[in-house]
Amino acid sequence: VGRIVEVEAYLGRDDRASHARFGQTARNAPMFGPPGHAYVYLVYGMHRCLNIVVEPSGVPAAVLVRAVRPIEGFEAVREARVRAEAGRSRGTATGEAAIRERLARVPDDRLASGPGLVGAGFDIHLALSGLDLLDPASPLRLEAAPADEPAPSVQAARRIGIDYAGPPWSQAPWRLLIEGDRAVSVGPERD
DNA sequence: AGTTGGATGGTCT
DNA sequence: GACCATCCAACTG
Protein backbone atom coordinates (compact mmCIF):
# COMPACT_ATOMS: atom_id res chain seq x y z
CA VAL A 1 0.00 0.00 0.00
CA GLY A 2 1.29 3.44 -0.84
CA ARG A 3 0.38 7.08 -1.22
CA ILE A 4 0.86 8.72 -4.61
CA VAL A 5 3.01 11.81 -4.00
CA GLU A 6 4.01 12.86 -7.53
CA VAL A 7 2.33 12.69 -10.94
CA GLU A 8 2.58 14.14 -14.43
CA ALA A 9 -0.35 14.98 -16.72
CA TYR A 10 -0.44 14.12 -20.41
CA LEU A 11 -3.47 15.69 -22.00
CA GLY A 12 -4.94 15.25 -25.44
CA ARG A 13 -3.73 14.60 -28.98
CA ASP A 14 -2.13 18.05 -29.21
CA ASP A 15 0.27 17.41 -26.30
CA ARG A 16 3.52 16.75 -28.18
CA ALA A 17 4.93 14.91 -25.16
CA SER A 18 2.03 12.47 -24.96
CA HIS A 19 2.00 8.95 -26.32
CA ALA A 20 -1.33 9.91 -27.90
CA ARG A 21 0.31 12.54 -30.14
CA PHE A 22 0.30 10.18 -33.15
CA GLY A 23 -3.23 8.94 -32.58
CA GLN A 24 -4.50 5.67 -31.23
CA THR A 25 -2.30 2.55 -31.42
CA ALA A 26 -2.41 -0.88 -29.80
CA ARG A 27 -0.10 0.34 -27.04
CA ASN A 28 -1.82 3.57 -26.05
CA ALA A 29 -5.41 2.34 -26.58
CA PRO A 30 -6.24 2.54 -22.84
CA MET A 31 -5.56 6.31 -22.98
CA PHE A 32 -8.55 6.63 -25.30
CA GLY A 33 -10.78 4.55 -23.04
CA PRO A 34 -12.73 5.29 -19.85
CA PRO A 35 -11.08 7.06 -16.89
CA GLY A 36 -9.88 5.16 -13.86
CA HIS A 37 -8.17 2.48 -15.91
CA ALA A 38 -4.43 1.75 -16.04
CA TYR A 39 -2.11 2.47 -18.95
CA VAL A 40 1.22 0.66 -18.56
CA TYR A 41 4.13 0.93 -20.97
CA LEU A 42 7.81 0.02 -21.16
CA VAL A 43 10.41 2.80 -21.26
CA TYR A 44 14.08 2.48 -22.16
CA GLY A 45 13.63 -1.22 -22.67
CA MET A 46 13.51 -2.01 -18.97
CA HIS A 47 11.26 0.17 -16.82
CA ARG A 48 7.50 -0.15 -16.64
CA CYS A 49 5.54 3.04 -16.03
CA LEU A 50 2.07 3.19 -14.49
CA ASN A 51 -0.45 5.75 -15.70
CA ILE A 52 -4.01 6.45 -14.58
CA VAL A 53 -6.35 7.25 -17.46
CA VAL A 54 -8.35 10.45 -17.00
CA GLU A 55 -10.95 12.37 -19.06
CA PRO A 56 -13.99 10.72 -20.71
CA SER A 57 -13.63 8.06 -23.40
CA GLY A 58 -12.42 9.55 -26.68
CA VAL A 59 -10.19 12.15 -25.02
CA PRO A 60 -6.70 10.58 -24.77
CA ALA A 61 -5.27 11.62 -21.41
CA ALA A 62 -3.45 10.00 -18.52
CA VAL A 63 -1.54 10.78 -15.37
CA LEU A 64 1.90 9.19 -14.96
CA VAL A 65 2.53 8.01 -11.40
CA ARG A 66 6.07 9.31 -10.81
CA ALA A 67 6.47 8.58 -7.11
CA VAL A 68 4.73 6.67 -4.33
CA ARG A 69 5.37 6.79 -0.59
CA PRO A 70 5.01 3.22 0.69
CA ILE A 71 2.67 2.99 3.69
CA GLU A 72 2.56 -0.75 4.33
CA GLY A 73 4.63 -3.72 3.16
CA PHE A 74 8.04 -2.06 2.93
CA GLU A 75 9.81 -5.42 2.65
CA ALA A 76 7.40 -6.59 -0.05
CA VAL A 77 8.29 -3.48 -2.06
CA ARG A 78 12.00 -4.16 -1.51
CA GLU A 79 11.66 -7.76 -2.63
CA ALA A 80 9.71 -6.73 -5.73
CA ARG A 81 12.55 -4.38 -6.63
CA VAL A 82 15.11 -7.15 -6.05
CA ARG A 83 13.16 -9.42 -8.42
CA ALA A 84 12.90 -6.69 -11.05
CA GLU A 85 16.60 -5.82 -10.96
CA ALA A 86 17.91 -9.39 -10.67
CA GLY A 87 15.74 -10.57 -13.53
CA ARG A 88 17.02 -7.74 -15.69
CA SER A 89 20.80 -8.01 -15.31
CA ARG A 90 21.14 -11.64 -16.31
CA GLY A 91 23.96 -10.91 -18.74
CA THR A 92 26.11 -8.94 -16.33
CA ALA A 93 25.96 -11.07 -13.20
CA THR A 94 25.06 -8.49 -10.53
CA GLY A 95 24.41 -10.96 -7.71
CA GLU A 96 20.93 -10.94 -6.22
CA ALA A 97 22.46 -10.76 -2.75
CA ALA A 98 24.32 -7.57 -3.69
CA ILE A 99 21.10 -5.99 -4.95
CA ARG A 100 19.27 -6.93 -1.74
CA GLU A 101 22.11 -5.50 0.33
CA ARG A 102 22.01 -2.22 -1.56
CA LEU A 103 18.22 -1.91 -1.28
CA ALA A 104 18.38 -2.59 2.45
CA ARG A 105 20.07 0.80 2.77
CA VAL A 106 17.33 2.60 0.83
CA PRO A 107 14.99 4.41 3.27
CA ASP A 108 11.39 3.11 3.29
CA ASP A 109 10.02 6.40 1.99
CA ARG A 110 12.35 6.38 -1.01
CA LEU A 111 11.63 2.87 -2.26
CA ALA A 112 9.36 4.09 -5.07
CA SER A 113 10.74 7.59 -5.72
CA GLY A 114 10.61 7.51 -9.51
CA PRO A 115 8.33 6.15 -12.24
CA GLY A 116 10.55 3.16 -12.96
CA LEU A 117 10.86 2.45 -9.24
CA VAL A 118 7.07 2.51 -8.82
CA GLY A 119 6.84 -0.06 -11.60
CA ALA A 120 9.47 -2.29 -10.02
CA GLY A 121 8.40 -1.88 -6.38
CA PHE A 122 4.71 -2.46 -6.97
CA ASP A 123 5.21 -5.27 -9.47
CA ILE A 124 3.55 -3.40 -12.32
CA HIS A 125 3.67 -5.33 -15.58
CA LEU A 126 2.47 -4.71 -19.12
CA ALA A 127 -0.38 -7.19 -18.74
CA LEU A 128 -2.00 -4.77 -16.27
CA SER A 129 -2.49 -2.16 -19.01
CA GLY A 130 -6.20 -1.50 -19.38
CA LEU A 131 -7.03 -2.75 -15.88
CA ASP A 132 -9.91 -1.02 -14.05
CA LEU A 133 -8.21 0.57 -11.05
CA LEU A 134 -11.56 1.44 -9.45
CA ASP A 135 -12.81 -2.16 -9.39
CA PRO A 136 -12.43 -3.54 -5.84
CA ALA A 137 -11.71 -6.94 -7.39
CA SER A 138 -8.66 -5.69 -9.31
CA PRO A 139 -5.21 -6.79 -8.10
CA LEU A 140 -4.11 -3.16 -8.37
CA ARG A 141 -6.47 -0.54 -7.02
CA LEU A 142 -6.82 3.20 -6.57
CA GLU A 143 -8.40 4.31 -3.32
CA ALA A 144 -9.30 7.70 -1.88
CA ALA A 145 -7.15 9.07 0.91
CA PRO A 146 -8.66 8.88 4.41
CA ALA A 147 -11.21 11.68 4.77
CA ASP A 148 -9.71 12.82 8.07
CA GLU A 149 -6.34 13.59 6.50
CA PRO A 150 -5.56 17.24 5.80
CA ALA A 151 -5.19 18.05 2.10
CA PRO A 152 -1.49 18.25 1.17
CA SER A 153 0.10 21.35 -0.34
CA VAL A 154 0.61 20.62 -4.03
CA GLN A 155 3.39 22.18 -6.06
CA ALA A 156 3.53 22.43 -9.88
CA ALA A 157 6.69 22.03 -11.97
CA ARG A 158 7.78 21.20 -15.49
CA ARG A 159 7.49 17.63 -16.71
CA ILE A 160 10.66 15.54 -16.82
CA GLY A 161 12.34 13.79 -19.72
CA ILE A 162 10.19 15.27 -22.50
CA ASP A 163 12.33 18.16 -23.79
CA TYR A 164 12.01 16.69 -27.29
CA ALA A 165 8.38 17.92 -27.31
CA GLY A 166 9.55 21.55 -27.40
CA PRO A 167 7.66 24.58 -26.07
CA PRO A 168 4.99 25.08 -24.90
CA TRP A 169 4.67 21.40 -24.03
CA SER A 170 8.13 21.07 -22.47
CA GLN A 171 7.42 24.12 -20.30
CA ALA A 172 3.88 23.31 -19.12
CA PRO A 173 3.73 23.00 -15.31
CA TRP A 174 2.01 19.65 -15.45
CA ARG A 175 4.17 17.82 -12.93
CA LEU A 176 2.39 17.90 -9.60
CA LEU A 177 4.02 16.89 -6.34
CA ILE A 178 3.42 17.12 -2.62
CA GLU A 179 5.47 20.00 -1.29
CA GLY A 180 8.42 18.92 0.83
CA ASP A 181 7.63 15.19 0.66
CA ARG A 182 10.79 13.09 0.93
CA ALA A 183 9.27 10.43 -1.34
CA VAL A 184 9.16 12.58 -4.51
CA SER A 185 11.60 11.66 -7.28
CA VAL A 186 13.62 14.89 -7.53
CA GLY A 187 13.06 18.40 -6.26
CA PRO A 188 11.21 20.88 -8.52
CA GLU A 189 13.51 23.15 -10.47
CA ARG A 190 13.79 26.76 -9.36
CA ASP A 191 13.52 29.34 -12.11
C1' DA B 1 27.35 18.00 -6.52
C1' DG B 2 27.23 17.34 -11.07
C1' DT B 3 28.10 14.69 -15.46
C1' DT B 4 28.49 10.51 -18.35
C1' DG B 5 27.57 6.17 -20.29
C1' DG B 6 25.67 1.42 -20.21
C1' DA B 7 21.81 -1.74 -19.71
C1' DT B 8 17.78 -3.16 -22.54
C1' DG B 9 13.29 -4.18 -25.51
C1' DG B 10 8.64 -2.75 -27.20
C1' DT B 11 6.79 0.36 -30.48
C1' DC B 12 6.33 2.93 -34.56
C1' DT B 13 8.48 4.76 -39.07
C1' DG C 1 16.43 0.88 -37.33
C1' DA C 2 15.68 4.95 -34.36
C1' DC C 3 13.59 6.38 -30.44
C1' DC C 4 12.48 6.59 -25.88
C1' DA C 5 7.48 9.92 -19.81
C1' DT C 6 14.65 5.78 -16.51
C1' DC C 7 18.08 4.21 -13.09
C1' DC C 8 22.58 3.40 -11.33
C1' DA C 9 27.60 3.15 -11.06
C1' DA C 10 31.56 5.32 -12.13
C1' DC C 11 33.62 8.96 -13.08
C1' DT C 12 35.11 14.48 -12.56
C1' DG C 13 35.76 18.65 -9.74
Side-chain angles (χ1 to χ4, degrees):
Chain A
V1 181
R3 157 67 54 91
I4 296 172
V5 297
E6 178 183 345
V7 296
E8 273 177 5
Y10 291 85
L11 176 59
R13 287 179 171 80
D14 294 338
D15 183 351
R16 302 308 288 173
S18 172
H19 287 178
R21 65 189 180 281
F22 297 132
Q24 184 169 342
T25 65
R27 177 176 70 150
N28 66 20
M31 289 186 76
F32 291 77
H37 286 229
Y39 165 44
V40 183
Y41 66 90
L42 187 72
V43 259
Y44 302 114
M46 45 178 58
H47 298 113
R48 297 173 300 276
C49 291
L50 171 66
N51 293 255
I52 300 161
V53 175
V54 293
E55 300 294 315
S57 289
V59 180
V63 163
L64 168 67
V65 179
R66 281 196 57 89
V68 170
R69 165 190 288 276
I71 295 173
E72 292 177 21
F74 305 114
E75 293 317 307
V77 174
R78 269 196 188 83
E79 283 306 307
R81 283 194 54 183
V82 169
R83 285 195 304 275
E85 294 190 34
R88 187 192 316 150
S89 57
R90 203 161 296 139
T92 53
T94 316
E96 183 175 313
I99 296 173
R100 186 171 286 111
E101 190 176 337
R102 176 170 56 78
L103 290 181
R105 296 195 304 270
V106 176
D108 290 344
D109 57 5
R110 295 205 56 82
L111 282 171
S113 297
L117 302 181
V118 170
F122 284 83
D123 215 16
I124 308 296
H125 43 105
L126 296 182
L128 293 182
S129 199
L131 184 77
D132 184 357
L133 298 173
L134 304 182
D135 182 349
S138 289
L140 182 67
R141 294 183 301 282
L142 200 57
E143 295 180 0
D148 58 354
E149 278 198 18
S153 172
V154 176
Q155 200 167 0
R158 283 162 46 176
R159 293 178 292 181
I160 292 175
I162 50 99
D163 282 349
Y164 65 84
W169 311 108
S170 56
Q171 314 293 326
W174 289 354
R175 172 179 170 230
L176 305 175
L177 53 111
I178 295 183
E179 197 170 17
D181 198 307
R182 294 224 323 137
V184 302
S185 61
V186 295
E189 72 280 1
R190 311 249 169 239
D191 285 286

